[in-house]
Amino acid sequence: MSLTIPHVLYGFFTLLILVTMIFRRGIVLPSLLGTFVIASFYKGSIVSGFMAIFYANLVAAQELFNIFLIITFMLALLNALKDLQADVLMIQPIQKVMVNGHLSYFVLLIVTYVISLFFWPTPAVPLICALLVPAAVRSGLPAITAAVAITIAGQGMALSSDYIVQVAPALSAKAAGVETAAVADRAFVLSVITGVIASLLAYLFYRKSIRSKEDPRNQTEAENIQDYDSSGHEPASNHLFAWSRIFAWIVPIALISVVGYMLYNKFFGSSDLVGGEGAALVGGVAVILLLFATGVFGRRNALDYVGNHITNGFVFAFKAMGPVIPIAGFFFLGSAEFSKDILLVEEAPSFLFEIITSIQSVLPDSTVFVAFSLLIVGIITGLDGSGFSGLPIAGALAASLETTSIDASTLAAIGQLGAIWTGGGALIAWSSLIAVAGFCGVSAMELVRKNFFPVILGLLAATLAAVILF
């Protein structure tokens, strides 16, 4: 197909945004400007360009609101536990395992990977961040490094293989015309290679920032994770310490029970609770725990306190994650699924995928070049913030570029790796990465920068390993 001026403009602004990110500057301005310029040229009207800015942000807000909501509910619960002072008691047993920041880093990696393999990172993140991150920070692990460990293990290593649920390999395999098991097995090996290299490099890069357990900055950072001041809430209970001990047990047991229920449904039930459904279950349980915790703390004042906790949760979520919305709006403009609602057209353009398709015919036949081309295609398709929406085009491209030296299953696995490590939430801020950043109280853009070099080097190594091994 032939590229139009809007396609060229979309490619230009995408490169501009990536270069701006590399230079560690804000990308909201080029995202908004790019949305306006591309829509104006596509519709042939400046008025349509103005409207597209609004609709792009509206569509992005609708798509990301579930992440904002789970952040809000979990932070509201944690703030209620702070009122009860149950948060300190709750993490004391975990602190016995997390004896220092170095060990905490690897504990977070392992626990996140195992849980995310079964349920995807979306429902796993609030559980891990509620139970483990505060303890990890108090042991000396900086919050930003904890966030790096969680995204690499969950949004990257676990989700890119999707070895248990197998939604991702099924999409890749169907488009490539190969067996799902073949793609799943290769993706699993490559995801582990990428994850191990990325996690070890991240540890080596940032190990000097890990503090001693006695460092006073640990407590300060742990208290600032939710950025909350409960001084306006007065306890109405005469048995505050007793309730504190009770909820220090109830909350972990409830959240662990959620994990148990998901496991039961996974292996014995009629349906799996993964992705959005799992997050909804976690969020609902958090709200009920919030009501009980606030009720025993404030009694009749709980009628006001619950609203305060929810409001503070929303304020924090939007304050920390708000800049992601206009960035996501720009990349949603490149996807046919969303561009029809942004441009108000029935036949929606897919700027991002059409650009990839147009360059397919000019790719050389070298095995190494083809493998790295699939990786780049996967990374580019992942820029829409999903990771999964680009799998069909990566799979189709894998089938067309198959050679006697490298088969379609391997190429599809490489494309899947690039798409999900990017769009799944390790390399871009307008993805589920914002949930990790929100719970850890760090900047989403700073987290992306910390992830960038370890993950990219891991992906390059895994792609080279794929050429050698398969």
Side-chain angles (χ1 to χ4, degrees), residues 401-418:
L401 296 177
E402 181 180 21
T403 68
T404 54
S405 301
I406 188 165
D407 60 25
S409 299
T410 303
L411 291 174
I414 293 171
Q416 177 178 311
L417 215 66

